[in-house]
Amino acid sequence: MPTPHHPDVVIIGGGILGCAIARYLSRLPGLNIIVVERHGLGEQTTSYAAALLTRIRPHQALTALAMETFRAIEEMGQASDEPLPLRSVGSLQVSAQPNGQRQLKETALRAAEAGVTAEQIAVQDAMKLAPWLDLTPDTAALWLPDDGYIDPYSLCMAYAAEGRHRGVRFRLKQSVSNLLMQGGRVTGVRLGHGEVLTAGMVVDAAGPWSTVLARQVGIHLGMAPVRSHYWISAPDARIPAHGPMTILPDNGAYARPEVGGLLFGLRDTQAVVADPAALPESLQGFRFDTDPAGERALEGGYTSLQSQLPLLDELRLAHYVSNVSSYTPDGFYLLGPMPGIEGFIAATGCSGAGIGMSGGIGRFISELISGQSTFVTPEPFRLDRFGAIDPFDSDFIHRCAEARARKRTG
């Protein structure tokens, strides 16, 4: 019978994925669940996310995961006194280049298959929706009115609140020093102060620290810590508070309103990565060794972005936000067990999409643990799909960084 020291499930990591998994597992009868978090809930990578929530993704399984997140947000809002702070402002995707226009057509087709509204609109209508844009007549524009963005910390706390209400216990300010293994099975964790928690299942949802933990039991997670970053301008009256998210595949960029100003992100065309073995215990205040203030990235992408967003010349930049995202070489996530090792499941490597996929990942992992048929196919997320790898090798780390540089979907 489970006891405080012998839970059924130990989840390592109290970010948005750990809390979402706890929320879904708490709905299963009789499970004893503990979440171990070295800091406070949602304080590390979660709170730094731009948190774009788009329903249509490049693969059917990813779309299903994203749709589940929207469903969870609505469900948790209905169960509370007030709805979650989802800004349902829609997303606007625009492109004047063949590759980007092909992406827009594919998105429209996938939206039709999923029953999601997606409308091709005129350039002038696009600029009315997002007055910070200046688009050429040959630009294609796709409007998805049901997309939005959310405060990621609030969403994380909502997952945690429901889990706590159903009996999930959160061990905060406590770290996991070791995964425990007997034979071919992970049997629990040892905490930093020496306490041992034995468990039937250990879930590694420790974000960029997942790699070092998994290596203790011979599991090599195919992901690397890659920079994600964005800038926020000072408030400007020309930025409407209810303007849409704009996704700009021609520039590898996105933008949306934020506290009266404009938040915009750019992809690094040259890899900016960290050594997974050298990450500090806390990412608050962390800066990458390369281009730590993002100046090189902004200079490199400025001219291209300014061609569609000329207002950039007149905005005063007020904030620069940089943090770690865990990218895989193919942009799919690391979800599920490692063949040959029992008692272990990973939920990490979300390639910049952790907020938008959180509800779907929570449901998927809970179905795996409970032995149910999963609502999405597990094949794209298998931990062993890259074969024999070394996630600490610089060549592999740069393969992961290239996946971020190729990303054009916000």
Side-chain angles (χ1 to χ4, degrees):
M1 181 176 181
T3 71
H5 293 278
H6 302 277
D8 295 296
V9 182
V10 169
I11 300 170
I12 307 170
I16 198 159
L17 293 190
C19 291
I21 293 165
R23 182 243 185 188
Y24 280 83
L25 283 175
S26 72
R27 297 181 157 204
L28 301 174
L31 276 186
N32 185 320
I33 304 156
I34 289 179
V35 177
V36 182
E37 167 54 48
R38 181 162 48 192
H39 303 286
L41 297 179
E43 287 184 359
Q44 297 298 304
T45 57
T46 294
S47 292
Y48 293 89
L52 309 185
L53 300 183
T54 56
R55 296 172 187 263
I56 302 304
R57 302 290 175 139
H59 188 280
Q60 186 177 21
L62 302 183
T63 294
L65 293 175
M67 297 281 277
E68 177 64 19
T69 301
F70 277 94
R71 194 188 69 80
I73 290 170
E74 182 178 3
E75 192 173 73
M76 290 187 293
Q78 291 174 347
S80 66
D81 294 333
E82 57 184 51
L84 291 176
L86 173 64
R87 301 296 300 275
S88 298
V89 296
S91 70
L92 177 65
Q93 302 185 24
V94 298
S95 176
Q97 297 180 6
N99 286 343
Q101 292 183 353
R102 189 179 307 113
Q103 176 181 308
L104 266 60
K105 290 179 181 178
E106 292 170 355
T107 300
L109 288 173
R110 288 193 294 269
E113 292 171 357
V116 171
T117 300
E119 178 185 357
Q120 302 262 3
I121 63 173
V123 169
Q124 292 300 322
D125 292 332
M127 291 190 291
K128 287 179 183 178
L129 286 169
W132 54 84
L133 295 178
D134 187 10
L135 306 174
T136 58
D138 60 343
T139 300
L142 184 67
W143 170 235
L144 293 97
D146 297 325
D147 289 342
Y149 60 93
I150 197 167
D151 172 57
Y153 182 79
S154 296
L155 180 55
C156 182
M157 292 301 102
Y159 287 135
E162 184 175 323
R164 186 178 286 112
H165 178 72
R166 289 198 172 95
V168 175
R169 286 171 294 139
F170 292 87
R171 303 282 291 268
L172 305 183
K173 311 295 182 182
Q174 298 184 29
S175 61
V176 170
S177 61
N178 299 97
L179 299 183
L180 304 178
M181 193 170 188
Q182 186 172 0
R185 183 179 190 87
V186 175
T187 58
V189 302
R190 178 177 288 109
L191 303 184
H193 61 275
E195 181 183 358
V196 170
L197 302 176
T198 60
M201 182 65 67
V202 173
V203 179
D204 186 355
W209 297 278
S210 299
T211 310
V212 171
L213 279 171
R215 181 171 63 170
Q216 295 180 1
V217 292
I219 295 174
H220 300 290
L221 295 176
M223 66 182 216
V226 180
R227 180 170 70 178
S228 291
H229 57 175
Y230 55 83
W231 293 259
I232 305 174
S233 79
D236 190 291
R238 292 168 290 184
I239 308 297
H242 299 289
M245 303 183 301
T246 50
I247 297 173
L248 312 169
D250 296 353
N251 312 304
Y254 62 87
R256 67 167 175 81
E258 176 71 7
V259 294
L262 190 71
L263 179 155
F264 64 93
L266 286 168
R267 309 293 173 212
D268 282 308
T269 55
Q270 296 183 3
V272 177
V273 299
D275 178 355
L279 289 174
E281 290 191 357
S282 173
L283 293 177
Q284 293 183 350
F286 174 75
R287 286 288 182 266
F288 287 82
D289 294 336
T290 302
D291 189 29
E295 295 170 349
R296 189 184 74 183
L298 183 59
E299 181 180 355
Y302 191 92
T303 300
S304 178
L305 179 58
Q306 190 268 352
S307 68
Q308 290 185 316
L309 210 166
L311 185 60
L312 207 57
D313 287 340
E314 302 174 44
L315 296 176
R316 181 175 66 84
L317 299 185
H319 304 284
Y320 172 65
V321 179
S322 168
N323 208 260
V324 173
S325 289
S326 299
Y327 270 77
T328 65
D330 61 4
F332 284 83
Y333 323 138
L334 298 171
L335 307 175
M338 175 60 82
I341 297 179
E342 298 181 1
F344 175 92
I345 279 180
T348 189
C350 288
S351 300
I355 308 302
M357 299 294 170
S358 57
I361 290 173
R363 176 180 169 183
F364 178 76
I365 296 297
S366 73
E367 290 171 348
L368 284 177
I369 290 174
S370 63
Q372 301 176 54
S373 296
T374 56
F375 78 110
V376 296
T377 176
E379 290 304 312
F381 311 111
R382 287 177 61 101
L383 304 193
D384 60 347
R385 67 184 184 273
F386 303 116
I389 57 156
D390 178 2
F392 301 89
D393 175 73
S394 61
D395 288 341
F396 181 80
I397 290 171
H398 280 80
R399 277 179 61 194
C400 296
E402 289 167 3
R404 171 162 170 76
R406 294 192 301 267
K407 189 176 179 184
R408 293 293 183 270
T409 54

